Amino acid sequence: MTMTDASWPPLPVQEWADTRDTVQLWTQMAGKVRLALTPLVNHWWNVPLYVDSRGLTTSLMPLGTGGLEIRFDFVDHRLRILHTDGREGDLALRPGTIAAFYAEFTGLLAELGADVELYPVPVELADVVPFDQDTRPAAYDPEAAHRFWISLVSASRVLNGFRAAYRGKASPVHFFWGAFDLATSRFSGRPAPRHPGGAPNCPDRVMHEAYDSEVSSAGYWPGGAGEGAFYSYAYPEPPGFRERDLGVDGAYFDDDLGEFLLPYARVRTAEDPDAALRGFLDATYRRASASATWPRETGRA
């Protein structure tokens, strides 16, 4: 394995789609706990997960006078629930059913004093079955899950550098469990028109809060064809945003998604993957901010 393969591993969607879909449902369970335990932060910044040294984490959530953290460990392939009083819960990441995993998961929460009421229906997915009723076989390939986590580590590194270059309001680099993507957003400081909503199995108020300000967002989505893609979009989309070539090798505008895309495979096979991705992020932000004439005082790069 080359150094590039080690930090930007191959991740053909067709080879791990079943595992990806299972992990997405698992992360939605953890994310719903975070939604239940944390106060609302603008644009729902209180609900995402974060990439850490073993996988994905909720970070510390308040629980009474203490706190709770849920961690997906894609090295040892365990889900760990950690209480600040020293108690822990642990279950294996393995094939089974979503219903069985949900029962174990909620049982561990109850044992640790986090008997929170969760809405047991997946969100932002078209065809859903409540977690506690989903008895279909659910796949889990540990090697694929580990490669996915490594891809998140690398994407997070570049996205964090990109975020740091902006002096205006910018989101953390965080993992949204609804759409299953790692993202960061820059804001112009101006309000945006009311978002139309329309995400599947998701109340429109979620999108209203997420997009109440003019924004340029970018991130990494391991879905679609090939090996997934990096994306960038602007809301509201300014005139001329999609009309000219970015000048970034392999990047294109997808009319159906309304986003610029750069295939993950083009990044991982580039001579300098980090530089290739950063070039895409910088170019799409420049296009968004210039097309919408963002105020200079926002810290426009």
Side-chain angles (χ1 to χ4, degrees):
M1 179 178 290
T2 67
M3 287 300 292
T4 298
D5 288 340
S7 58
W8 294 97
L11 204 64
V13 170
Q14 64 180 6
E15 294 181 7
W16 83 293
D18 291 344
T19 292
R20 181 201 60 195
D21 295 347
T22 298
V23 174
Q24 181 170 10
L25 295 177
W26 290 346
T27 60
Q28 290 210 7
M29 296 175 197
K32 286 172 180 284
V33 175
R34 190 155 193 246
L35 175 62
L37 294 181
T38 59
L40 175 65
V41 178
N42 53 197
H43 316 300
W44 303 104
W45 291 356
N46 59 305
V47 304
L49 308 181
Y50 304 94
V51 180
D52 74 359
S53 62
R54 307 284 291 193
L56 289 166
T57 178
T58 59
S59 74
L60 185 64
M61 302 172 289
L63 182 65
T65 58
L68 198 75
E69 179 183 4
I70 301 172
R71 301 183 71 189
F72 289 92
D73 183 335
F74 296 126
V75 177
D76 289 337
H77 304 285
R78 314 289 299 181
L79 180 137
R80 294 189 169 93
I81 307 177
L82 311 173
H83 197 292
T84 51
D85 65 9
R87 290 180 295 158
E88 297 184 14
D90 178 277
L91 63 91
L93 303 180
R94 62 181 185 272
T97 69
I98 295 300
F101 187 93
Y102 185 69
E104 286 189 79
F105 176 68
T106 53
L108 288 177
L109 289 172
E111 289 176 13
L112 295 172
D115 194 11
V116 294
E117 184 175 348
L118 303 180
Y119 178 60
V121 180
V123 297
E124 296 190 54
L125 296 169
D127 299 312
V128 298
V129 178
F131 299 135
D132 55 353
Q133 300 173 30
D134 193 346
T135 58
R136 298 169 296 179
Y140 184 72
D141 177 348
E143 194 272 336
H146 185 270
R147 283 189 286 120
F148 170 56
W149 165 62
I150 293 297
S151 76
L152 288 177
V153 170
S154 291
S156 179
R157 176 179 63 249
V158 180
L159 288 167
N160 271 296
F162 172 69
R163 182 207 180 202
Y166 188 65
R167 296 180 62 84
K169 175 183 173 181
S171 78
V173 175
H174 40 205
F175 188 84
F176 280 102
W177 38 268
F180 206 62
D181 65 319
L182 185 71
T184 187
S185 299
R186 292 174 170 184
F187 296 83
S188 72
R190 299 185 300 214
R194 190 175 182 86
H195 194 281
N201 291 296
C202 184
D204 288 347
R205 63 182 177 82
V206 173
M207 296 303 168
H208 296 164
E209 172 62 35
Y211 293 103
D212 69 350
S213 302
E214 187 176 39
V215 66
S216 173
S217 291
Y220 166 45
W221 179 53
E227 299 184 41
F230 296 95
Y231 66 82
S232 182
Y233 63 89
Y235 182 79
E237 185 182 318
F241 178 67
R242 65 174 72 189
E243 293 170 6
R244 293 185 284 93
D245 184 81
L246 279 176
V248 175
D249 187 34
Y252 63 96
F253 192 87
D254 187 295
D255 290 311
D256 293 332
L257 295 175
E259 302 174 347
F260 281 103
L261 298 180
L262 178 64
Y264 174 84
R266 295 298 291 262
V267 171
R268 74 168 180 82
T269 58
E271 183 176 351
D272 185 339
D274 287 36
L277 175 54
R278 181 59 186 269
F280 172 75
L281 299 173
D282 288 338
T284 51
Y285 166 70
R286 286 195 300 268
R287 175 68 58 82
S289 61
S291 299
T293 60
W294 281 24
R296 286 286 178 181
E297 60 269 22
T298 62
R300 180 172 136 191

